[in-house]
Amino acid sequence: MCWSATADLVAGTGITAVGAATVARAVRRPRDLPLAALPVLLGVHQLIEAAVWHHDGGTGAATTAWAVIALPLLPLWVPAAVLCAAQPRAHRRLLVPLAVGVATAAALAYALVTRTVSAEIRGHTVGYALGLSHTGLTVTGYLLATIGALLVSGDRVLTLLGVLTAIGAAVSFVLWRREFISTWCAAAAVASVLLYHWAGRRRSAARGTAAPKALKFR
């Protein structure tokens, strides 16, 4: 994230706490849990970056852990989680971002295994380097998998989350091109707090459908 280790630490702690509350809201709907847990993952991700700041970048364990979450994990987790939570009518169109996510995650995982990722503190931002080939294609696949899954989910709150993360991607690219992945992950983490509202709506809807069923058995 931008600014400092302290900013990452504070943001990561707050987002992780909201994520835990989101998971608590979704606990009775198992298929919602992977998506409800996304703020927890992104909050922990920010906490890991605080450690990257503390170690002044480099190629250590914190940098590697940060890259594993940011690169192969997120483009696979997000479309898979959205597919789990989505209504059946949306499943077919969600297979596209999921397939793109699988391919992108595989390419990024291979790059992490065969190359060394490094972090560099650049003023008030952190830049990560992995020496990827076909960077443009990889970034396009990454964004199609993550943002694309949210946009075609068929859920208004998830669509809004997709719009916000897309705006975050555009702003991060314009202002911090060399630190794009770090700043965008931070923006996505903040936007993911919206999932707390999403989980609440899902729980209320589930209660609303359960009540008439209970009346039928009286």
Side-chain angles (χ1 to χ4, degrees):
M1 186 176 178
C2 300
W3 321 131
S4 68
T6 301
D8 267 319
L9 187 61
V10 172
T13 301
I15 293 164
T16 302
V18 173
T22 304
V23 170
R25 281 187 159 190
V27 72
R28 294 186 179 181
R29 294 176 60 86
R31 66 193 184 95
D32 288 352
L33 284 175
L35 193 53
L38 183 60
V40 175
L41 178 65
L42 293 175
V44 170
H45 198 220
Q46 296 307 122
L47 294 174
I48 292 171
E49 190 164 72
V52 174
W53 279 95
H54 178 72
H55 290 95
D56 199 28
T59 59
T63 298
T64 301
W66 189 96
V68 167
I69 294 174
L71 300 179
L73 185 55
L74 281 179
L76 182 60
W77 184 298
V78 175
V82 173
L83 180 63
C84 286
Q87 296 297 323
R89 63 178 179 273
H91 285 181
R92 181 173 294 182
R93 63 176 177 265
L94 283 167
L95 290 176
V96 175
L98 178 60
V100 173
V102 169
T104 303
L108 290 169
Y110 177 78
L112 278 175
V113 170
T114 57
R115 298 180 176 90
T116 300
V117 61
S118 62
E120 179 185 354
I121 306 301
R122 298 170 181 165
H124 292 295
T125 57
V126 182
Y128 295 86
L130 186 57
L132 290 173
S133 55
H134 309 294
T135 303
L137 180 62
T138 304
V139 172
T140 299
Y142 190 104
L143 296 178
L144 284 175
T146 52
I147 297 173
L150 294 168
L151 292 177
V152 301
S153 64
D155 183 285
R156 286 183 297 176
V157 177
L158 297 185
T159 300
L160 175 59
L161 178 57
V163 171
L164 292 177
T165 52
I167 292 171
V171 171
S172 296
F173 183 78
V174 170
L175 297 182
W176 301 286
R177 187 172 301 186
R178 294 178 64 198
E179 300 83 19
F180 168 76
I181 189 64
S182 174
T183 53
W184 179 71
C185 281
V190 173
S192 73
V193 171
L194 187 61
L195 288 172
Y196 178 78
H197 172 62
W198 169 80
R201 288 179 69 249
R202 300 275 286 189
R203 185 173 65 175
S204 297
R207 287 176 176 173
T209 56
K213 290 180 181 179
L215 288 174
K216 288 180 182 180
F217 289 101
R218 290 184 178 181

